[in-house]
Amino acid sequence: LPYHTTPHHTTPLPSAPLFTVCFAWLILQERTSVRIMASLIPVVVGLVLASGTEESMVGRTGVLGFSAALFNNCLDCVSNVVSKKLMAENLSPSELQFYSGLIAVAMQLPLSLLVSGRQGFPTPPQHLWSIICVDATAFYVQSLSAYMTMSI
């Protein structure tokens, strides 16, 4: 987290359409029109200008934080493209949400056990449980609505 600032997070976001087009071509073999590709050029130029002139991008920590945010953006685009492919194969948005949640638990649980070691998981304060429940519910509704929007 010390390597990740707000500019690191917001600067790569405009690159999402470019990455989505690239991953759709790689994964789904979708062809994108020349007009759409041409419309992405100003976005990429703006991203390069914003990244190059941002003060917090200077030095090793700036590059590391920006690279982490860019990698996260790429993974989000891959997730959207793969979700689109799975929905094309008759997987409903609620099934997609269920299976992606199941995979997330399967991937995070071993890592959590490894990190926590023999100490076990720390017990969060009581008020934090309500915040966690609200956050989980909001994330569920957001991702389900995103999947439903992609299925249209």
Side-chain angles (χ1 to χ4, degrees):
L1 225 49
Y3 304 115
H4 187 73
T5 63
T6 301
H8 291 147
H9 178 71
T10 55
T11 305
L13 287 178
S15 67
L18 176 68
F19 287 128
T20 301
V21 165
C22 292
F23 289 123
W25 177 72
L26 288 171
I27 297 169
L28 304 176
Q29 284 81 38
E30 278 187 5
R31 296 269 185 216
T32 304
S33 71
V34 176
R35 288 178 53 182
I36 292 176
M37 291 298 286
S39 72
L40 295 175
I41 292 172
V43 173
V44 173
V45 170
L47 176 63
V48 170
L49 287 174
S51 302
T53 59
E54 178 59 45
E55 290 179 25
S56 65
M57 302 291 182
V58 178
R60 183 174 170 224
T61 58
V63 171
L64 183 61
F66 180 75
S67 299
L70 198 59
F71 183 67
N72 180 52
N73 197 18
C74 286
L75 289 179
D76 191 38
C77 293
V78 168
S79 172
N80 289 337
V81 170
V82 171
S83 297
K84 181 179 178 181
K85 181 178 181 175
L86 291 174
M87 284 189 293
E89 296 175 3
N90 296 329
L91 200 64
S92 73
S94 58
E95 290 173 323
L96 189 59
Q97 176 67 25
F98 171 75
Y99 290 124
S100 63
L102 196 62
I103 291 168
V105 168
M107 291 178 72
Q108 291 177 19
L109 192 59
L111 183 62
S112 299
L113 292 173
L114 180 70
V115 169
S116 66
R118 295 184 181 259
Q119 302 162 341
F121 294 110
T123 306
Q126 189 63 33
H127 74 282
L128 197 55
W129 283 111
S130 60
I131 295 171
I132 291 171
C133 289
V134 168
D135 180 54
T137 303
F139 177 75
Y140 174 78
V141 169
Q142 181 271 330
S143 58
L144 186 61
S145 64
Y147 291 146
M148 292 176 85
T149 302
M150 284 192 291
S151 70
I152 295 176

